[in-house]
């Protein structure tokens, strides 16, 4: 099945025309780029079309570094739309963390083998013994856009319909059968789309638990990261956004932390795990979109501009 995350965890902003497909295969990593999600070209990694990863997830960062240098965009990978095609789901967490490190949240997650099965069943062809880059570029990667996938199916159905119509134009009974087959194909596509929506919801729940920062850290750091935080964001609103079961108890009136307290929280923030820091920063970016919040001067060098 296709797992489409394009609208699930996305920070609104300017998105470039560049699309990347990051293929995390059993023994290797391949990267492809496109401007229209139909025509794809391979991105060389360290001079080769494929990168042997030796089952070492730290190689994801090395690959993304190479891709970033190759594309040479003004904002790095921040505005690139990325499709993660995986064969082993245990690699997803590290891949998403590394994408966040490049300020990228425009991504979707797809199962590589499900796409292969989808192509073979749709075109009624056998799976090749060797999935070379040409087969991946021509058959698999156009499906990373659900809209393109639907259009390609529609073209296939239209071609079949036209061929049968020309060959059997004098046989009205067979022509009717073609219409029935066409309707069945459309019904199958509708069922497939419903399955995709259900699977997206399931993966959303799993991914949200991976990406959400520690809730205690949020309550501890947010009043020091943002000026006048509790007077801008109500405790019940934060509970709803962060998925808290209980609404935080905040005294009223609330006294903002002193500069000494803010500097202490800054030192505590810097000793957190890098992954937890990135999760908190991502959550701050999400809050900044919804509220008129201002970073404390002490945290600006760490978090950077959120506007």
């Amino acid at each position: 099945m296709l797992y489409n995350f394009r609208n699930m965890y996305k920070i609104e902003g300017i998105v470039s025309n560049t699309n990347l497909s990051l293929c995390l295969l059993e023994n290797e990593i391949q990267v492809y780029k496109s401007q229209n999600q139909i025509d794809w070209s391979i991105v060389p990694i360290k001079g080769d079309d494929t990168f042997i990863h030796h089952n070492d997830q730290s190689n994801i960062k090395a690959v993304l570094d190479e891709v970033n240098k190759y594309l040479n965009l003004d904002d790095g990978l921040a505005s690139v739309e990325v499709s993660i095609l995986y064969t082993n789901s245990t690699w997803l967490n590290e891949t998403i963390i590394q994408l966040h490190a490049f300020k990228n949240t425009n991504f979707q997650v797809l199962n590589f083998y499900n796409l292969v099965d989808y192509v073979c069943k749709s075109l009624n062809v056998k799976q090749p013994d060797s999935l070379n880059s040409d087969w991946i570029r021509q058959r698999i990667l156009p499906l990373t856009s659900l809209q393109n996938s639907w259009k390609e199916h529609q073209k296939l159905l239209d071609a079949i319909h036209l061929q049968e119509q020309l060959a059997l134009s004098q046989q009205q009974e067979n022509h009717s059968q073609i219409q029935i087959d066409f309707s069945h194909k459309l019904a199958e596509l509708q069922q497939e789309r419903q399955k995709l929506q259900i699977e997206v919801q399931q993966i959303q729940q799993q991914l949200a638990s991976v990406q959400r920062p520690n809730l205690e850290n949020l309550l501890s750091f947010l009043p020091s990261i943002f000026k006048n935080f509790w007077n801008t964001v109500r405790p019940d609103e934060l509970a709803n956004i962060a998925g808290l079961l209980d609404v935080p108890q905040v005294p009223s009136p609330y006294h903002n932390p002193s500069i000494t307290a803010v500097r202490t929280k800054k030192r505590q923030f810097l000793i957190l795990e890098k992954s937890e820091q990135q999760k908190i920063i991502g959550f701050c970016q999400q809050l900044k979109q919804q509220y008129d919040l201002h970073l404390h001067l002490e945290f600006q060098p760490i978090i950077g501009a959120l506007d």
Side-chain angles (χ1 to χ4, degrees), residues 115-182:
L115 288 175
V116 173
D117 291 341
Y118 183 81
V119 170
C120 293
K121 290 178 182 178
S122 298
L123 301 180
N124 194 26
V125 296
K126 292 183 179 180
Q127 178 178 330
D129 294 333
S130 176
L131 297 178
N132 57 46
S133 61
D134 287 340
W135 202 89
I136 292 175
R137 286 190 298 105
Q138 296 171 12
R139 301 295 190 187
I140 299 297
L141 300 185
L143 296 180
T144 56
S145 168
L146 184 59
Q147 181 180 4
N148 288 339
S149 173
W150 182 275
K151 287 181 179 178
E152 291 301 312
H153 243 303
Q154 191 67 46
K155 290 178 183 178
L156 177 63
L157 294 173
D158 289 344
I160 294 173
H161 174 73
L162 179 60
Q163 181 182 10
E164 293 294 333
Q165 187 180 43
L166 292 174
L168 305 174
S169 58
Q170 302 302 316
Q171 303 179 32
Q172 184 63 39
E173 187 173 332
N174 285 344
H175 178 74
S176 299
Q177 185 61 47
I178 294 171
Q179 294 291 343
I180 293 173
D181 292 342
F182 184 82

Side-chain angles (χ1 to χ4, degrees), residues 69-305:
K69 293 177 183 177
Y70 180 87
L71 296 180
N72 194 29
L73 297 176
D74 290 340
D75 60 349
L77 302 181
S79 61
V80 176
E81 293 195 0
V82 180
S83 296
I84 307 170
L85 281 64
Y86 70 93
T87 58
N88 187 343
S89 61
T90 60
W91 282 59
L92 290 179
N93 188 42
E94 180 62 22
T95 304
I96 292 169
I97 289 174
Q98 293 302 328
L99 282 174
H100 275 283
F102 281 89
K103 309 301 182 184
N104 182 285
T105 55
N106 303 308
F107 65 85
Q108 63 175 345
V109 179
L110 306 134
N111 184 295
F112 180 82
Y113 289 132
N114 285 345
L115 288 175
V116 173
D117 291 341
Y118 183 81
V119 170
C120 293
K121 290 178 182 178
S122 298
L123 301 180
N124 194 26
V125 296
K126 292 183 179 180
Q127 178 178 330
D129 294 333
S130 176
L131 297 178
N132 57 46
S133 61
D134 287 340
W135 202 89
I136 292 175
R137 286 190 298 105
Q138 296 171 12
R139 301 295 190 187
I140 299 297
L141 300 185
L143 296 180
T144 56
S145 168
L146 184 59
Q147 181 180 4
N148 288 339
S149 173
W150 182 275
K151 287 181 179 178
E152 291 301 312
H153 243 303
Q154 191 67 46
K155 290 178 183 178
L156 177 63
L157 294 173
D158 289 344
I160 294 173
H161 174 73
L162 179 60
Q163 181 182 10
E164 293 294 333
Q165 187 180 43
L166 292 174
L168 305 174
S169 58
Q170 302 302 316
Q171 303 179 32
Q172 184 63 39
E173 187 173 332
N174 285 344
H175 178 74
S176 299
Q177 185 61 47
I178 294 171
Q179 294 291 343
I180 293 173
D181 292 342
F182 184 82
S183 299
H184 288 168
K185 285 288 185 180
L186 289 179
E188 290 176 4
L189 288 175
Q190 291 172 348
Q191 292 177 356
E192 184 73 17
R193 193 168 188 172
Q194 291 175 350
K195 291 179 181 177
L196 294 179
Q197 292 172 343
I198 294 173
E199 291 173 359
V200 165
Q201 293 174 355
Q202 293 173 345
I203 300 298
Q204 281 179 336
Q205 296 173 355
Q206 298 174 10
L207 194 57
S209 64
V210 172
Q211 294 177 328
R212 187 167 57 196
N214 181 284
L215 298 178
E216 292 183 0
N217 283 342
L218 284 180
L219 298 178
S220 174
F221 287 107
L222 286 177
S224 296
I225 292 174
F226 291 113
K227 298 177 181 178
N228 205 26
F229 179 77
W230 287 121
N231 292 320
T232 305
V233 181
R234 297 202 316 261
D236 60 318
E237 292 176 340
L238 180 65
N240 182 52
I241 296 171
L244 293 170
L245 296 178
D246 299 316
V247 176
Q249 299 300 314
V250 179
S252 181
Y254 177 79
H255 298 291
N256 290 308
S258 65
I259 185 64
T260 301
V262 170
R263 288 172 177 169
T264 300
K265 298 308 294 184
K266 174 184 176 181
R267 290 192 294 270
Q268 293 175 359
F269 184 88
L270 291 174
I271 63 175
L272 289 176
E273 293 288 340
K274 290 295 183 182
S275 60
E276 186 64 21
Q277 291 182 18
Q278 289 299 322
K279 291 176 184 178
I280 294 174
I281 292 173
F283 190 84
C284 289
Q285 292 172 327
Q286 185 181 12
L287 279 179
K288 187 64 175 64
Q289 293 178 10
Q290 304 175 44
Y291 297 95
D292 185 20
L293 291 166
H294 301 281
L295 277 174
H296 197 284
L297 289 177
E298 291 293 326
F299 276 88
Q300 284 185 0
I302 301 173
I303 297 181

Side-chain angles (χ1 to χ4, degrees), residues 30-94:
Q30 297 180 11
V31 183
Y32 299 82
K33 71 178 183 69
S34 174
Q35 301 299 122
N36 57 15
Q37 290 189 298
I38 297 176
D39 303 309
W40 294 85
S41 61
I42 202 158
V43 176
I45 306 298
K46 297 187 182 301
D48 295 322
D49 289 349
T50 62
F51 180 87
I52 307 301
H53 56 62
H54 301 291
N55 205 30
D56 182 358
Q57 296 187 21
S58 66
N59 282 316
I60 294 174
K61 181 181 184 304
V63 168
L64 291 178
D65 284 334
E66 287 283 313
V67 172
N68 185 39
K69 293 177 183 177
Y70 180 87
L71 296 180
N72 194 29
L73 297 176
D74 290 340
D75 60 349
L77 302 181
S79 61
V80 176
E81 293 195 0
V82 180
S83 296
I84 307 170
L85 281 64
Y86 70 93
T87 58
N88 187 343
S89 61
T90 60
W91 282 59
L92 290 179
N93 188 42
E94 180 62 22

